[in-house]
Amino acid sequence: MVAGWGRGCRTAICRLWPLGLACWLAPAWAERLVLYYEQRPPYTEFRDGALTGLLGKPAMQAVQQLGIELDLRESPFNRHMALIDKNLEYACAIGRYKTEQRLGRGKFSQAFYRDQPYVAIMRSDNGRAGAVTELQPLLGTAGLRFGFREGYAYGEVLDVWIATSRASLVRLPESNANLVRMVYRRMLDVVLLSGEEAEALLASMPEERAKLIMRHYADSPPGAYRYFYCSRQVDDALLQRLDAAINLHRPTGTGGSNP
């Protein structure tokens, strides 16, 4: 590898492939992109030596086209988001929602996945929550205890509904799986999850599943798009190449053009 000599320089990175030696130019300070994920089935799951899942698989298909060294790291959500927000690393996180706050701190790729609409998980014997037939009025029900992941966004429309909710909002540094367990144990009344994550979690909890129900609502907003969220250190040229790779590998019906 040819060493760079300053922040504005370019470095030649070479890698041996089956058909010969391939070389490319990359910023001297960016020979390795840190790629953060959290273990969160069905979205991201490291299994059999590879990152897979609804977000993990298409994300890896895209970044492997970039021709740079990758440092794949599992890290808690709040920890790696703080590193990216503070611009402390040449790094991206897989599958984050786009919010105004994050736009002021980092950079986003094109969308590469779209969630299913949100559903509510509650106990089947929770008559008060079960009697409400729409999601916005459910969030407006005073006294119901909603569990949310600390630091998570829930999509543009839902974030507004949550901010103006009359319910009791409990934000915890817990996994969504643990929030569902808290509903089962009557510590919470409702947890909101995307349809695909709700189905996967309930399928993995047969004991809890017997007492829980998943409610769909006609007024639930369309699912939000998911992106790579990157620190400001990540140069625009790399993001343009990442966008091109996303477009090349985008599965049908999971994102369309950049919203």
Side-chain angles (χ1 to χ4, degrees):
M1 185 178 294
V2 179
W5 58 87
R7 183 171 175 82
C9 301
R10 306 289 286 183
T11 296
I13 301 176
C14 299
R15 185 181 293 166
L16 185 63
W17 299 98
L19 298 180
L21 187 67
C23 299
W24 57 91
L25 291 178
W29 66 94
E31 296 170 3
R32 178 179 291 120
L33 175 68
V34 178
L35 193 61
Y36 283 112
Y37 75 97
E38 55 179 337
Q39 193 78 354
R40 186 185 172 187
Y43 287 127
T44 43
E45 185 174 10
F46 195 83
R47 187 174 64 238
D48 299 328
L51 187 64
T52 186
L54 296 173
L55 301 179
K57 183 177 179 179
M60 294 307 296
Q61 286 176 333
V63 296
Q64 287 169 353
Q65 302 298 311
L66 299 180
I68 64 172
E69 297 289 334
L70 295 174
D71 184 355
L72 186 63
R73 298 183 190 176
E74 180 184 0
S75 172
F77 172 82
N78 286 332
R79 181 181 301 169
H80 71 244
M81 291 295 283
L83 291 171
I84 292 174
D85 285 347
K86 295 176 182 178
N87 200 29
L88 296 178
E89 295 181 320
Y90 195 87
C92 295
I94 293 174
R96 296 297 164 225
Y97 286 173
K98 185 185 291 187
T99 68
E100 289 298 323
Q101 184 181 54
R102 293 172 186 172
L103 280 168
R105 296 174 177 174
K107 300 180 179 181
F108 285 89
S109 70
Q110 285 199 27
F112 68 92
Y113 185 82
R114 190 175 194 179
D115 282 354
Q116 295 176 13
Y118 272 82
V119 300
I121 302 296
M122 63 187 70
R123 284 186 62 96
S124 57
D125 57 3
N126 189 328
R128 190 169 182 220
V132 183
T133 59
E134 292 186 320
L135 182 53
Q136 189 173 16
L138 183 69
L139 278 163
T141 304
L144 286 182
R145 299 163 300 169
F146 280 77
F148 297 99
R149 283 286 302 271
E150 186 178 73
Y152 266 28
Y154 287 80
E156 184 176 359
V157 175
L158 266 182
D159 282 343
V160 172
W161 291 359
I162 292 167
T164 57
S165 172
R166 297 175 58 215
S168 176
L169 309 181
V170 183
R171 296 188 181 272
L172 297 167
E174 298 285 347
S175 68
N176 281 337
N178 282 341
L179 293 180
V180 171
R181 293 186 182 99
M182 291 176 71
V183 173
Y184 172 74
R185 295 168 186 157
R186 304 181 191 274
M187 300 168 68
L188 295 169
D189 293 306
V190 182
V191 169
L192 301 181
L193 300 172
S194 67
E196 58 267 67
E197 186 169 23
E199 290 178 0
L201 287 181
L202 290 179
S204 70
M205 302 176 177
E207 179 182 348
E208 292 88 347
R209 179 69 179 92
K211 298 292 185 179
L212 299 175
I213 56 174
M214 178 172 62
R215 294 288 304 274
H216 296 262
Y217 301 95
D219 67 332
S220 186
Y225 289 94
R226 292 190 177 271
Y227 308 77
F228 288 92
Y229 176 54
C230 304
S231 69
R232 289 195 136 353
Q233 289 189 37
V234 176
D235 49 294
D236 292 341
L238 183 69
L239 281 174
Q240 290 170 5
R241 288 159 52 204
L242 180 57
D243 288 344
I246 289 170
N247 288 331
L248 180 65
H249 293 282
R250 191 192 307 278
T252 302
T254 56
S257 59
N258 191 27

